Amino acid sequence: MTGTTPAPFTAADHTARMERAVRSAADAGLAGLLVAPGPDMVWLTGYTPTAVTERLTVLVLAPGRDPVLVVPTLEAPDAEHAVGAGALTLRDWTDGTDPYAVTAALLDGDGRFGISDNTWAMHLLGFQRTLPGTSYASLTDALPMLRAVKDTAELELLAAAGAAADATFEEIRKVPFAGRRESDVGQDLAGLLRRFGHSQVDFTIVGSGPNGANPHHEVGDRVIRDGDMVVLDFGGLKDGYGSDTTRTVHVGEPTAEERRVHDVVRAAQEAGFRAVRPGAACQDVDRAARAVITDAGYGAYFIHRTGHGIGVTTHEPPYMIEGEEQPLVPGMCFSVEPGIYLPGRFGVRIEDIVTVTEDGGRRLNNTTREMVIVD
């Protein structure tokens, strides 16, 4: 698979993201944001510490103030080379000093702050101890839309990651399944994802026969047999953006029941996709897919949400689940992945990444959703 190397994000891109984050925080009634190393920091600044340790690193964003990155002194040279460093003030601290006091000087002592979900508890407790008048809300709860709406460049990266995952499926369907372990096929999947440009493989689920009834089985030593249904769910990061797709294949000819279950899931996946449009609620996608499976008599066997967001991580807000009333907005990207799981027998799941357009939705995965027969 060939393609042009995507243009890297610039300092201006990261500046715009930080400015947007500050506006969103103010609109949400927050005094600011505290962002720990992880996907939010990468998206906002382009900075990834060499190693995440007990030493505090935190990005402080607040209305009316320039962004500040608090870093250990020994890591400041790396932080200075981050793509977004030009828009940041670096405030370093040395071992033996109190990093929470350094950070506290940047904060409203009575404010409520959004804090990234993956912040270590020891750091949150340090902020609370130093500034007992402050309070905190997770970014997922306070600003669920922070990274949810992708710009044109991000959509192109997600589409390229989806195309690479599609190319992986087209190759994996050619390999022998019967007589090989799930782990063997999983290694094939990982190798193909890397061959088609992925720098990181996050998961390679190969659920054969009864293992397919466990949605997160991943891989094991079970030998795949003729007559098995096999769930293949795989993805990772390509050029910093995620892929995630699922197809369910069959080794040899399926039974009439296996075909029926696969057809029901395929119809449910189509219904979920057709429900995607601006202004619809996230839960509407779940309801549309779930109704097809329930009407077919398999409602008790669809045991997870219909989808999750994707971007610089393979799982992030928004979530396509009952009770999520967040309206869909053009530029959102998420999975549509209904499934049926019959304990002790087999499972079926079909998944595409979908982006919301001005008048509906567009799939970023385009391999066949018909049942594929493998050897």
Side-chain angles (χ1 to χ4, degrees):
M1 184 178 180
T2 60
T4 58
T5 302
F9 291 111
T10 66
D13 293 323
H14 291 292
T15 298
R17 290 173 181 178
M18 286 188 279
E19 291 174 348
R20 188 171 110 199
V22 169
R23 290 194 300 271
S24 297
D27 291 344
L30 298 172
L33 304 177
L34 299 175
V35 182
D40 293 317
M41 183 174 285
V42 171
W43 184 78
L44 287 163
T45 70
Y47 177 54
T48 302
T50 303
V52 178
T53 69
E54 72 283 357
R55 291 185 174 95
L56 177 70
T57 295
V58 64
L59 172 67
V60 180
L61 299 175
R65 297 185 179 183
D66 292 335
V68 177
L69 183 63
V70 177
V71 296
T73 299
L74 76 168
E75 296 177 11
D78 289 336
E80 289 171 354
H81 290 95
V83 178
L88 298 167
T89 298
L90 291 185
R91 189 73 56 86
D92 65 318
W93 61 274
T94 58
D95 287 350
T97 60
D98 184 352
Y100 307 108
V102 172
T103 308
L106 307 170
L107 305 179
D108 175 354
D110 297 315
R112 180 170 177 78
F113 294 89
I115 190 164
S116 50
D117 295 26
N118 56 323
T119 304
W120 286 16
M122 64 180 287
H123 295 320
L124 175 57
L125 293 169
F127 295 138
Q128 292 175 322
R129 182 178 62 250
T130 306
L131 292 172
T134 56
S135 60
Y136 302 86
S138 77
L139 284 189
T140 292
D141 291 337
L143 297 179
M145 294 290 286
L146 181 62
R147 292 189 279 119
V149 179
K150 275 62 181 180
D151 61 26
T152 300
E154 290 180 296
L155 289 173
E156 289 176 355
L157 289 166
L158 283 162
D166 284 356
T168 294
F169 178 70
E170 295 296 357
E171 291 299 313
I172 201 69
R173 61 186 287 186
K174 301 173 186 176
V175 309
F177 278 69
R180 302 175 70 217
R181 296 174 301 174
E182 292 173 340
S183 56
D184 296 328
V185 177
Q187 289 174 1
D188 290 342
L189 283 169
L192 287 165
L193 284 169
R194 292 190 178 96
R195 176 176 142 195
F196 291 119
H198 281 64
S199 60
Q200 177 177 313
V201 176
D202 285 351
F203 47 87
T204 55
I205 292 174
V206 182
S208 65
N211 288 341
N214 175 0
H216 283 172
H217 166 69
E218 293 211 355
V219 299
D221 290 330
R222 183 181 184 275
V223 175
I224 301 169
R225 305 168 186 167
D226 187 61
D228 278 348
M229 195 84 86
V230 186
V231 178
L232 302 172
D233 183 348
F234 50 94
L237 298 183
K238 180 182 184 295
D239 297 317
Y241 279 75
S243 69
D244 186 1
T245 189
T246 308
R247 295 293 185 261
T248 303
V249 302
H250 198 277
V251 185
E253 284 301 314
T255 65
E257 182 188 20
E258 288 170 333
R259 282 196 178 277
R260 168 172 165 72
V261 171
H262 192 280
D263 285 346
V264 170
V265 174
R266 183 163 54 86
Q269 207 272 345
E270 179 68 18
F273 170 69
R274 294 297 175 191
V276 175
R277 62 185 182 280
C282 290
Q283 68 181 1
D284 293 340
V285 179
D286 183 84
R287 288 175 174 177
R290 199 168 300 275
V292 173
I293 291 175
T294 299
D295 290 348
Y298 293 100
Y301 304 105
F302 180 10
I303 56 177
H304 57 72
R305 64 196 176 202
T306 293
H308 57 81
I310 191 168
V312 294
T313 59
T314 49
H315 282 210
E316 62 186 45
Y319 299 103
M320 306 302 112
I321 189 171
E322 180 65 31
E324 180 51 78
E325 298 180 349
Q326 171 66 51
L328 300 183
V329 176
M332 277 184 175
C333 291
F334 48 84
S335 65
V336 178
E337 51 176 306
I340 293 174
Y341 309 94
L342 303 179
R345 301 182 62 205
F346 64 90
V348 175
R349 181 165 65 257
I350 300 173
E351 173 186 15
D352 294 324
I353 298 303
V354 173
T355 183
V356 184
T357 64
E358 295 295 333
D359 57 2
R362 175 169 67 94
R363 286 185 167 103
L364 302 187
N365 295 107
N366 295 290
T367 54
T368 182
R369 284 164 286 278
E370 301 285 342
M371 183 181 288
V372 169
I373 308 300
V374 297
D375 295 330

